[in-house]
């Protein structure tokens, strides 16, 4: 199991102080959070990609390249790389370059994005979101797996005798997760290629994600990549912890109420009852997270959202200390119990090189 955090990179006013961080402060805070993740023993840091306020991470590879130079072990990923509005050629080259700079500590999560106005900013139509995701990834996959590419599709100019540079490190492209909140077509796409499937697991009840993950597992087996149990699954989640659950709820409530991700809707109590959001003690987070295996089967990666809604950096770093010291060690131990031998570990560059070069 791999454990880590993902950030949406929002710039949100702290409702308890009325102060709004600058974009510079927020970007620097994301870097500090990534470094703290490695310090406390987490495995992964992932950043979202956004091109609209109130979010700042418009260039994930720039940020991850900077973090790569300051870390030694952390896997650097994205919580969304927009496969619909980015040119697949640019994705292929940017992430291959990052892969070389980080000595392989790189993967990425592809997604369509859920902000309608972004599509026309990059010359696309949101009504073509699914066809764009399918066609663009087909090209990206080809660019990474074939040295010379001839290609023609609906949404971009043809390629003739094209080679993307640099080539993937050791001939092994970055591992790809296909992220989805609601689209069975994306689960199908992940299964077809034998890639990973990441269920956001934040906004919806568990039954919704159980259906998507079950579909992915069954189709993964259908396409001959292995058994359903060998499919590679990642989950999101969100937590806020204090020693006493009452203190956690009291402190987090004003941030929840204004959160750009899910504020201004159901109450905190309603949201905790209907979704995996856990606000409470470390033991409550442990117990809730361990339940995920009962619903979704053995899986490979668990990422938590911990730094949004205006939470000050000091508070987020405290949360990471609790996560790294009190929660993740227990989760590692418990998830390892009775884990079938055929269930794969979380993907790393080092683990994938022998399989590709054999």
């Amino acid at each position: 199991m791999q454990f880590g955090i993902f950030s949406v990179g929002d710039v949100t006013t702290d409702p308890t102080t009325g102060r709004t961080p600058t974009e510079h402060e927020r970007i620097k805070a994301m870097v500090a959070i990534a470094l703290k993740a490695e310090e406390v023993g987490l495995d992964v840091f992932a950043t979202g990609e956004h091109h609209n306020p109130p979010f700042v991470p418009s260039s994930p590879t720039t940020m991850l390249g900077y973090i790569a130079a300051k870390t030694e072990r952390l896997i650097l990923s994205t919580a969304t790389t927009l496969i619909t509005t980015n040119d697949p050629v640019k994705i292929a080259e940017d992430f291959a370059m990052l892969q070389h700079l980080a000595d392989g500590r790189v993967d990425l999560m592809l997604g369509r994005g859920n902000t309608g106005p972004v599509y026309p900013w990059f010359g696309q139509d949101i009504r073509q979101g699914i066809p764009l995701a399918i066609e663009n990834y087909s090209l990206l996959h080809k660019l990474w797996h074939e040295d010379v590419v001839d290609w023609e599709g609906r949404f971009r100019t043809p390629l003739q005798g094209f080679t993307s540079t640099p080539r993937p490190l050791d001939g092994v492209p970055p591992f790809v997760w296909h992220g989805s909140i609601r689209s069975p077509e994306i689960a199908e796409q992940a299964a077809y290629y034998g890639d990973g499937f990441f269920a956001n697991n934040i906004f919806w009840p568990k039954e919704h994600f159980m259906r998507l993950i079950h579909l992915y597992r069954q189709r993964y087996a259908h396409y001959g990549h292995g058994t359903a149990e060998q499919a590679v699954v990642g989950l999101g989640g969100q937590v806020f912890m204090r020693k006493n659950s009452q203190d956690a709820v009291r402190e987090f409530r004003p941030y929840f109420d204004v959160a750009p991700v899910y504020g201004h809707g159901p109450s905190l109590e309603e949201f905790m009852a209907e979704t995996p959001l856990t606000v409470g003690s470390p033991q409550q987070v442990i117990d809730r997270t361990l339940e995920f295996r009962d619903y979704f089967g053995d899986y490979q990666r668990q990422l938590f959202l911990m730094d949004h809604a205006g939470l000050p950096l000091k508070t987020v770093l405290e949360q990471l200390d609790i996560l790294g010291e009190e929660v993740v060690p227990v989760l590692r131990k418990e998830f390892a119990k009775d884990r079938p031998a055929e269930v794969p570990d979380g993907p790393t560059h080092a683990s994938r090189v022998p399989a590709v070069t054999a």
Side-chain angles (χ1 to χ4, degrees), residues 176-180 183 186-187 190 195-199 212-213 216 232-234:
V176 172
W177 302 85
H178 298 257
S180 179
S183 304
I186 302 304
D195 296 333
F197 180 68
F198 190 92
L212 281 176
I213 291 172
Y216 162 67
V232 183
V233 173

Side-chain angles (χ1 to χ4, degrees), residues 142-161:
K142 185 181 287 285
L143 290 167
W144 273 341
H145 289 85
E146 298 179 17
D147 289 338
V148 181
V149 171
D150 295 309
W151 183 88
E152 185 172 351
R154 290 176 55 195
F155 298 109
R156 77 176 315 280
T157 53
L159 297 173
Q160 295 180 341

Side-chain angles (χ1 to χ4, degrees), residues 217-266:
R217 289 188 183 277
Q218 295 306 310
R219 299 301 287 172
Y220 182 95
H222 168 80
Y223 288 116
H225 300 299
T227 66
E229 292 72 26
Q230 291 173 320
V232 183
V233 173
L235 295 177
Q238 207 234 321
V239 299
F240 186 86
M241 298 169 286
R242 289 302 183 200
K243 181 178 180 180
N244 298 311
S245 59
Q246 298 92 335
D247 292 337
V249 169
R250 186 181 309 109
E251 183 176 349
F252 187 68
R253 186 183 302 280
Y255 296 96
F256 173 88
D257 289 343
V258 302
V261 176
Y262 46 43
H264 312 286

